[in-house]
Amino acid sequence: MPEQVSRRALAAGLVLAAASLASAAAPLPGAPILPQPVRDLWPGPHIVRRGTWSTVVGHDATGLGELARRADTASRRVSAVLARPVRPLIVVPADAREAAALARVGGVDGLAAVADGERVIVVPESFARLNPSGRDVVLAHELTHVVAGTGGLPVWLYEGFADYVAYRDAGLPVTTAAAELAAEVRAGRLPTVLPGPAAFAANGGDPAALARAYQEAWLACRFLADRFGEGTLVRLYRAARVRGTDRALAALGLSVATLTARWRAYVRDQLV
């Protein structure tokens, strides 16, 4: 069974990786002691570690230095695609309950981190079970949400785009990154529609189905990048936020229906 590095399906063979305490780089000259989005998160002390670009805040120092280095890696990945500086703000709460409270959501079942405004909130129990590649993918995915925004977009586009950025330099075979979807396709069950909001519900009910939804969305954006170029995918994403997805796709000679047909063929070709 391929090693699972997805941010979603926690029951699919995630590799436990021990966090290590490491020294962090000095704060950037002129930087505030603690940026506003990561101030006053909870009563009591706020432990801060900084990387070259990142700021990580937690209840204690355990693993924060390692996380700052990984956040720097995520910063480089996101910057390479979006062509702008990225300075991650990462919050490490005590547990999943506190993560949900900080993100103001009902629950974070099946998630290893969530994007919330200008920051990424780690779900400690889930994040700890990811292997190193998985941690890098998670951070780049959520940081893409922070930097690129999601407003006005269909969920398949903003989740697929975030995974496109996250997996772009991860060095993973498609069949590894999309293991759950590959199993379905090889069993003769090809997806019929681009995944909608219900498919991404983080309720812990079916981790494999949640993983497949992200993988389907990722391959839709990967198809667009392969067919039209990465720069076109980025421009389409930005245009869709301003003018709507239908008009952005129309500029490429596509509709949602034609994209769906070509995406289904691409999924079959990539995963069979």
Side-chain angles (χ1 to χ4, degrees), residues 49-56 64-79 86-90 120 122 127 135-136 139-140 143:
R49 292 290 182 269
R50 285 186 170 89
T52 304
W53 296 281
S54 61
T55 299
V56 182
L64 298 190
E66 179 206 7
L67 189 54
R69 291 192 299 274
R70 293 198 178 282
D72 282 347
T73 296
S75 172
R76 290 190 293 271
R77 289 185 180 181
V78 176
S79 292
V86 177
R87 295 185 179 274
L89 299 176
I90 312 295
V120 173
V122 169
F127 193 81
R135 295 181 185 192
D136 290 341
L139 291 172
L143 191 56

Short mmCIF file of all heavy atoms in Angstrom, two decimals, residues 49-56 64-79 86-90 120 122 127 135-136 139-140 143:
data_model
loop_
_atom_site.label_atom_id
_atom_site.label_comp_id
_atom_site.label_asym_id
_atom_site.label_seq_id
_atom_site.Cartn_x
_atom_site.Cartn_y
_atom_site.Cartn_z
N ARG A 49 8.80 30.65 18.00
CA ARG A 49 10.00 30.28 17.27
C ARG A 49 9.87 30.87 15.87
O ARG A 49 8.80 30.87 15.27
CB ARG A 49 10.16 28.75 17.18
CG ARG A 49 10.44 28.10 18.52
CD ARG A 49 11.84 28.44 19.01
NE ARG A 49 12.16 27.81 20.27
CZ ARG A 49 11.94 28.34 21.46
NH1 ARG A 49 11.38 29.54 21.56
NH2 ARG A 49 12.27 27.69 22.56
N ARG A 50 10.99 31.36 15.35
CA ARG A 50 10.98 31.96 14.02
C ARG A 50 11.95 31.24 13.11
O ARG A 50 13.05 30.86 13.51
CB ARG A 50 11.34 33.45 14.09
CG ARG A 50 10.22 34.34 14.63
CD ARG A 50 10.60 35.80 14.53
NE ARG A 50 9.47 36.67 14.80
CZ ARG A 50 9.14 37.12 16.00
NH1 ARG A 50 9.85 36.76 17.06
NH2 ARG A 50 8.10 37.92 16.16
N GLY A 51 11.51 31.08 11.86
CA GLY A 51 12.40 30.63 10.82
C GLY A 51 12.88 31.83 10.03
O GLY A 51 12.82 32.97 10.50
N THR A 52 13.34 31.59 8.83
CA THR A 52 13.80 32.70 7.99
C THR A 52 12.65 33.62 7.62
O THR A 52 12.78 34.85 7.61
CB THR A 52 14.47 32.15 6.71
OG1 THR A 52 15.53 31.27 7.09
CG2 THR A 52 15.03 33.28 5.87
N TRP A 53 11.48 33.01 7.30
CA TRP A 53 10.31 33.79 6.93
C TRP A 53 9.13 33.58 7.88
O TRP A 53 8.22 34.38 7.92
CB TRP A 53 9.84 33.41 5.51
CG TRP A 53 10.83 33.75 4.45
CD1 TRP A 53 11.07 34.97 3.89
CD2 TRP A 53 11.74 32.85 3.82
NE1 TRP A 53 12.06 34.89 2.95
CE2 TRP A 53 12.50 33.59 2.88
CE3 TRP A 53 11.99 31.48 3.94
CZ2 TRP A 53 13.49 33.02 2.09
CZ3 TRP A 53 12.98 30.91 3.16
CH2 TRP A 53 13.72 31.67 2.24
N SER A 54 9.15 32.49 8.62
CA SER A 54 7.96 32.06 9.36
C SER A 54 8.01 32.45 10.84
O SER A 54 9.08 32.63 11.42
CB SER A 54 7.81 30.54 9.25
OG SER A 54 8.95 29.90 9.80
N THR A 55 6.80 32.54 11.41
CA THR A 55 6.63 32.71 12.85
C THR A 55 5.69 31.62 13.32
O THR A 55 4.60 31.44 12.77
CB THR A 55 6.03 34.09 13.18
OG1 THR A 55 6.91 35.11 12.73
CG2 THR A 55 5.81 34.24 14.68
N VAL A 56 6.12 30.87 14.35
CA VAL A 56 5.34 29.77 14.89
C VAL A 56 5.09 30.04 16.37
O VAL A 56 6.03 30.37 17.10
CB VAL A 56 6.06 28.42 14.70
CG1 VAL A 56 5.21 27.27 15.24
CG2 VAL A 56 6.40 28.20 13.23
N LEU A 64 8.48 23.28 17.87
CA LEU A 64 8.23 24.53 17.17
C LEU A 64 9.37 24.91 16.23
O LEU A 64 9.14 25.50 15.16
CB LEU A 64 7.98 25.67 18.16
CG LEU A 64 6.77 25.53 19.09
CD1 LEU A 64 6.53 26.85 19.82
CD2 LEU A 64 5.52 25.11 18.33
N GLY A 65 10.61 24.58 16.60
CA GLY A 65 11.72 24.88 15.71
C GLY A 65 11.64 24.10 14.42
O GLY A 65 11.84 24.64 13.32
N GLU A 66 11.33 22.80 14.52
CA GLU A 66 11.14 21.99 13.32
C GLU A 66 10.00 22.53 12.46
O GLU A 66 10.10 22.61 11.23
CB GLU A 66 10.84 20.54 13.70
CG GLU A 66 10.60 19.65 12.49
CD GLU A 66 9.73 18.44 12.77
OE1 GLU A 66 9.18 18.35 13.88
OE2 GLU A 66 9.59 17.62 11.86
N LEU A 67 8.92 22.92 13.11
CA LEU A 67 7.76 23.43 12.38
C LEU A 67 8.10 24.73 11.66
O LEU A 67 7.65 24.96 10.53
CB LEU A 67 6.60 23.63 13.34
CG LEU A 67 5.23 23.95 12.73
CD1 LEU A 67 4.84 22.91 11.68
CD2 LEU A 67 4.18 24.03 13.83
N ALA A 68 8.91 25.58 12.28
CA ALA A 68 9.33 26.82 11.61
C ALA A 68 10.12 26.51 10.35
O ALA A 68 9.96 27.17 9.31
CB ALA A 68 10.14 27.67 12.57
N ARG A 69 10.99 25.51 10.40
CA ARG A 69 11.74 25.13 9.20
C ARG A 69 10.82 24.60 8.11
O ARG A 69 11.00 24.90 6.93
CB ARG A 69 12.81 24.10 9.56
CG ARG A 69 13.94 24.66 10.42
CD ARG A 69 15.11 23.70 10.50
NE ARG A 69 14.74 22.43 11.11
CZ ARG A 69 14.73 22.20 12.42
NH1 ARG A 69 15.03 23.18 13.26
NH2 ARG A 69 14.40 21.02 12.90
N ARG A 70 9.85 23.80 8.50
CA ARG A 70 8.90 23.28 7.51
C ARG A 70 8.03 24.40 6.95
O ARG A 70 7.68 24.39 5.75
CB ARG A 70 8.05 22.18 8.13
CG ARG A 70 8.85 20.95 8.48
CD ARG A 70 7.98 19.73 8.70
NE ARG A 70 8.82 18.58 9.00
CZ ARG A 70 9.51 17.89 8.11
NH1 ARG A 70 9.44 18.21 6.82
NH2 ARG A 70 10.26 16.86 8.47
N ALA A 71 7.67 25.35 7.77
CA ALA A 71 6.90 26.48 7.28
C ALA A 71 7.71 27.31 6.28
O ALA A 71 7.16 27.84 5.30
CB ALA A 71 6.44 27.37 8.45
N ASP A 72 9.02 27.40 6.49
CA ASP A 72 9.88 28.07 5.50
C ASP A 72 9.85 27.33 4.17
O ASP A 72 9.81 27.94 3.10
CB ASP A 72 11.31 28.15 6.02
CG ASP A 72 11.52 29.25 7.04
OD1 ASP A 72 10.64 30.11 7.19
OD2 ASP A 72 12.58 29.24 7.71
N THR A 73 9.89 25.99 4.24
CA THR A 73 9.80 25.19 3.01
C THR A 73 8.47 25.45 2.30
O THR A 73 8.43 25.64 1.08
CB THR A 73 9.93 23.69 3.34
OG1 THR A 73 11.22 23.45 3.88
CG2 THR A 73 9.73 22.83 2.09
N ALA A 74 7.39 25.47 3.07
CA ALA A 74 6.08 25.76 2.49
C ALA A 74 6.06 27.15 1.87
O ALA A 74 5.48 27.37 0.79
CB ALA A 74 5.00 25.64 3.56
N SER A 75 6.68 28.10 2.53
CA SER A 75 6.74 29.46 2.00
C SER A 75 7.40 29.50 0.63
O SER A 75 6.92 30.16 -0.30
CB SER A 75 7.52 30.36 2.99
OG SER A 75 7.76 31.63 2.44
N ARG A 76 8.51 28.78 0.49
CA ARG A 76 9.20 28.76 -0.80
C ARG A 76 8.33 28.12 -1.88
O ARG A 76 8.31 28.59 -3.03
CB ARG A 76 10.53 28.01 -0.67
CG ARG A 76 11.58 28.75 0.14
CD ARG A 76 12.94 28.08 0.02
NE ARG A 76 12.97 26.78 0.65
CZ ARG A 76 13.28 26.55 1.92
NH1 ARG A 76 13.56 27.57 2.72
NH2 ARG A 76 13.32 25.33 2.40
N ARG A 77 7.62 27.05 -1.54
CA ARG A 77 6.77 26.38 -2.52
C ARG A 77 5.64 27.30 -3.00
O ARG A 77 5.35 27.37 -4.19
CB ARG A 77 6.19 25.10 -1.93
CG ARG A 77 7.21 24.00 -1.73
CD ARG A 77 6.56 22.72 -1.24
NE ARG A 77 7.54 21.66 -1.05
CZ ARG A 77 7.25 20.43 -0.66
NH1 ARG A 77 5.99 20.10 -0.40
NH2 ARG A 77 8.20 19.53 -0.53
N VAL A 78 5.01 27.98 -2.06
CA VAL A 78 3.90 28.86 -2.43
C VAL A 78 4.41 30.06 -3.21
O VAL A 78 3.81 30.47 -4.22
CB VAL A 78 3.12 29.28 -1.17
CG1 VAL A 78 2.01 30.27 -1.52
CG2 VAL A 78 2.53 28.05 -0.47
N SER A 79 5.52 30.62 -2.78
CA SER A 79 6.10 31.76 -3.49
C SER A 79 6.47 31.41 -4.92
O SER A 79 6.32 32.23 -5.83
CB SER A 79 7.34 32.27 -2.75
OG SER A 79 7.02 32.84 -1.53
N VAL A 86 6.04 35.30 0.85
CA VAL A 86 5.10 34.64 1.77
C VAL A 86 5.77 34.52 3.13
O VAL A 86 6.87 33.99 3.24
CB VAL A 86 4.71 33.24 1.25
CG1 VAL A 86 3.79 32.54 2.23
CG2 VAL A 86 4.04 33.36 -0.12
N ARG A 87 5.10 35.01 4.17
CA ARG A 87 5.62 34.94 5.53
C ARG A 87 4.60 34.21 6.41
O ARG A 87 3.65 34.82 6.91
CB ARG A 87 5.91 36.34 6.07
CG ARG A 87 7.02 37.06 5.31
CD ARG A 87 7.36 38.40 5.94
NE ARG A 87 8.43 39.05 5.21
CZ ARG A 87 9.73 38.84 5.43
NH1 ARG A 87 10.10 37.97 6.36
NH2 ARG A 87 10.65 39.48 4.73
N PRO A 88 4.78 32.91 6.59
CA PRO A 88 3.77 32.12 7.29
C PRO A 88 3.66 32.48 8.77
O PRO A 88 4.65 32.75 9.46
CB PRO A 88 4.29 30.68 7.15
CG PRO A 88 5.28 30.73 6.03
CD PRO A 88 5.89 32.09 6.07
N LEU A 89 2.41 32.47 9.26
CA LEU A 89 2.10 32.56 10.69
C LEU A 89 1.41 31.26 11.06
O LEU A 89 0.33 30.96 10.57
CB LEU A 89 1.19 33.75 10.97
CG LEU A 89 1.74 35.14 10.62
CD1 LEU A 89 0.67 36.21 10.86
CD2 LEU A 89 2.99 35.45 11.43
N ILE A 90 2.05 30.47 11.94
CA ILE A 90 1.56 29.14 12.27
C ILE A 90 1.22 29.10 13.76
O ILE A 90 2.02 29.51 14.60
CB ILE A 90 2.61 28.06 11.97
CG1 ILE A 90 3.21 28.24 10.57
CG2 ILE A 90 2.02 26.67 12.17
CD1 ILE A 90 2.24 28.03 9.44
N VAL A 120 -2.22 29.85 9.79
CA VAL A 120 -2.51 28.43 9.66
C VAL A 120 -2.54 27.85 11.06
O VAL A 120 -1.60 28.04 11.85
CB VAL A 120 -1.45 27.72 8.81
CG1 VAL A 120 -1.67 26.21 8.83
CG2 VAL A 120 -1.48 28.25 7.38
N VAL A 122 -2.56 24.50 13.25
CA VAL A 122 -2.25 23.08 13.22
C VAL A 122 -3.19 22.33 14.15
O VAL A 122 -3.54 22.82 15.23
CB VAL A 122 -0.78 22.86 13.64
CG1 VAL A 122 -0.49 21.39 13.89
CG2 VAL A 122 0.15 23.42 12.58
N PHE A 127 -1.66 16.24 12.96
CA PHE A 127 -0.41 16.65 12.32
C PHE A 127 0.75 15.76 12.76
O PHE A 127 1.64 15.43 11.96
CB PHE A 127 -0.12 18.12 12.66
CG PHE A 127 0.95 18.75 11.83
CD1 PHE A 127 0.67 19.23 10.56
CD2 PHE A 127 2.25 18.88 12.32
CE1 PHE A 127 1.66 19.84 9.79
CE2 PHE A 127 3.24 19.47 11.56
CZ PHE A 127 2.95 19.94 10.29
N ARG A 135 3.63 16.49 6.26
CA ARG A 135 3.64 17.76 6.97
C ARG A 135 3.93 18.92 6.02
O ARG A 135 3.31 19.99 6.10
CB ARG A 135 4.67 17.71 8.10
CG ARG A 135 4.31 16.70 9.19
CD ARG A 135 5.33 16.68 10.31
NE ARG A 135 5.00 15.62 11.26
CZ ARG A 135 5.54 15.49 12.46
NH1 ARG A 135 6.47 16.35 12.85
NH2 ARG A 135 5.18 14.50 13.25
N ASP A 136 4.88 18.71 5.12
CA ASP A 136 5.20 19.77 4.16
C ASP A 136 4.02 20.05 3.23
O ASP A 136 3.72 21.21 2.92
CB ASP A 136 6.42 19.36 3.32
CG ASP A 136 7.71 19.35 4.13
OD1 ASP A 136 7.76 19.98 5.21
OD2 ASP A 136 8.68 18.70 3.68
N LEU A 139 1.23 22.04 5.19
CA LEU A 139 1.55 23.44 5.42
C LEU A 139 1.47 24.25 4.12
O LEU A 139 0.92 25.36 4.11
CB LEU A 139 2.94 23.57 6.03
CG LEU A 139 3.06 23.05 7.47
CD1 LEU A 139 4.52 23.05 7.91
CD2 LEU A 139 2.22 23.87 8.44
N ALA A 140 1.99 23.70 3.02
CA ALA A 140 1.91 24.42 1.75
C ALA A 140 0.47 24.57 1.29
O ALA A 140 0.08 25.63 0.75
CB ALA A 140 2.74 23.71 0.68
N LEU A 143 -1.22 27.21 3.55
CA LEU A 143 -0.64 28.52 3.30
C LEU A 143 -1.09 29.08 1.95
O LEU A 143 -1.26 30.30 1.80
CB LEU A 143 0.89 28.42 3.34
CG LEU A 143 1.67 29.72 3.37
CD1 LEU A 143 1.24 30.61 4.52
CD2 LEU A 143 3.17 29.42 3.45
#
